[in-house]
């Protein structure tokens, strides 16, 4: 009986922790938008690599923390950019009749962000060793044989046939992927 009680207490604590994380992330979005407005007024560059390296040195103690920080940086850049363009939080594009959510950043950071968007337990195939290294992480299974019937295609060369398209500094995630994400476990990166 005590084990069940501990389990439920841990679940409640995790839920509260998740709520606090979301509250802080929303606060961070507002800060990123204000920073974007200040940079716009002063003609500053949105991406400040020196500041990112400084923050990583101050906070990062391991690879997980650094990965999370890189994701936060890319989301911040996204919101700062949108602030400069007077756009809402997310940018939607219609390409060839498909709706895509847009994220901006360096390809390596976009692939790093993607591994956190994929479901834990996802199986990923790519013939590109660099992509494999960037997407690998806890819960992602990298395989060396082609997937016959993948759930999703990630196209890193900007061809607009994939469910997720990475083209230079832009990542487009299809509405179809977002709506069916809980069923997506077999991924090909090409």
């Amino acid at each position: 009986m005590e084990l069940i009680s501990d389990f439920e207490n841990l679940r409640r604590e995790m839920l509260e922790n998740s709520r606090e994380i979301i509250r802080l992330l929303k606060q961070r979005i507002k800060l990123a938008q204000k920073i974007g407005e200040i940079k716009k007024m002063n003609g500053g560059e949105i991406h400040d690599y020196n500041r990112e390296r400084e923050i990583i040195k101050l906070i990062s103690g391991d690879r997980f923390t650094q990965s999370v920080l890189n994701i936060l940086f890319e989301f911040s850049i996204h919101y700062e950019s949108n602030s400069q363009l007077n756009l809402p939080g997310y940018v939607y594009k219609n390409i060839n009749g498909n709706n895509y959510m847009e994220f901006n950043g360096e390809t390596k950071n976009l692939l790093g962000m993607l591994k956190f968007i994929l479901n834990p337990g996802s199986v990923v195939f790519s013939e590109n060793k660099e992509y494999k290294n960037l997407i690998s992480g806890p819960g992602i299974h990298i395989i060396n044989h082609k997937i016959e019937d993948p759930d999703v295609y990630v196209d890193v060369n900007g061809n607009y046939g994939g469910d997720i398209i990475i083209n230079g500094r832009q990542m487009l995630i299809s509405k179809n992927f977002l709506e069916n994400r809980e069923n997506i476990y077999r991924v090909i990166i090409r």
Side-chain angles (χ1 to χ4, degrees):
M1 203 61 153
E2 188 177 312
L3 186 60
I4 293 171
S5 176
D6 288 346
F7 179 74
E8 290 303 319
N9 287 336
L10 290 170
R11 276 189 155 174
R12 270 193 293 282
E13 188 176 337
M14 184 177 274
L15 178 61
E16 288 307 311
N17 183 272
S18 298
R19 285 184 175 140
E20 182 65 10
I21 289 169
I22 296 301
R23 185 190 69 74
L24 290 169
L25 286 172
K26 287 180 178 180
Q27 183 179 349
R28 195 175 198 287
I29 287 168
K30 290 177 185 174
L31 294 170
Q33 289 171 328
K34 289 178 183 177
I35 288 170
E37 291 167 9
I38 293 169
K39 286 180 178 178
K40 179 182 177 183
M41 287 188 309
N42 295 321
E45 289 291 317
I46 290 198
H47 218 134
D48 186 347
Y49 296 104
N50 291 329
R51 178 68 178 152
E52 287 179 11
R53 282 190 289 274
E54 183 182 316
I55 291 170
I56 287 172
K57 283 181 187 174
L58 289 171
I59 297 175
S60 183
D62 54 41
R63 273 186 73 170
F64 173 77
T65 306
Q66 188 169 350
S67 296
V68 170
L69 286 172
N70 282 329
I71 290 168
L72 286 175
F73 296 151
E74 293 306 327
F75 275 111
S76 293
I77 295 302
H78 177 74
Y79 280 94
E80 287 178 30
S81 300
N82 291 341
S83 173
Q84 288 199 5
L85 298 171
N86 296 318
L87 297 172
Y90 289 114
V91 177
Y92 294 94
K93 287 191 170 188
N94 186 299
I95 300 170
N96 298 334
N98 295 314
N99 289 319
Y100 291 92
M101 184 181 291
E102 178 183 1
F103 296 92
N104 295 292
E106 292 184 24
T107 301
K108 66 179 182 135
N109 290 339
L110 293 172
L111 282 164
M113 183 188 308
L114 179 61
K115 75 179 165 188
F116 290 100
I117 293 170
L118 296 175
N119 288 320
S122 292
V123 174
V124 177
F125 169 78
S126 178
E127 293 176 341
N128 185 306
K129 185 177 179 181
E130 181 185 2
Y131 301 162
K132 287 181 187 179
N133 290 338
L134 292 170
I135 201 81
S136 67
I140 303 294
H141 306 287
I142 306 295
I143 60 171
N144 293 319
H145 57 279
K146 210 161 199 157
I147 300 169
E148 291 301 321
D149 188 21
D151 298 320
V152 66
Y153 285 98
V154 179
D155 195 307
V156 186
N157 297 317
N159 297 320
Y160 293 106
D163 299 291
I164 298 174
I165 302 159
I166 299 177
N167 186 8
R169 296 184 49 79
Q170 175 188 65
M171 178 165 66
L172 301 171
I173 301 177
S174 72
K175 184 178 179 184
N176 181 55
F177 171 87
L178 294 170
E179 289 177 349
N180 297 296
R181 194 171 80 82
E182 66 276 0
N183 299 317
I184 292 172
Y185 289 95
R186 294 167 312 188
V187 180
I188 288 183
I189 302 177
R190 55 187 178 189

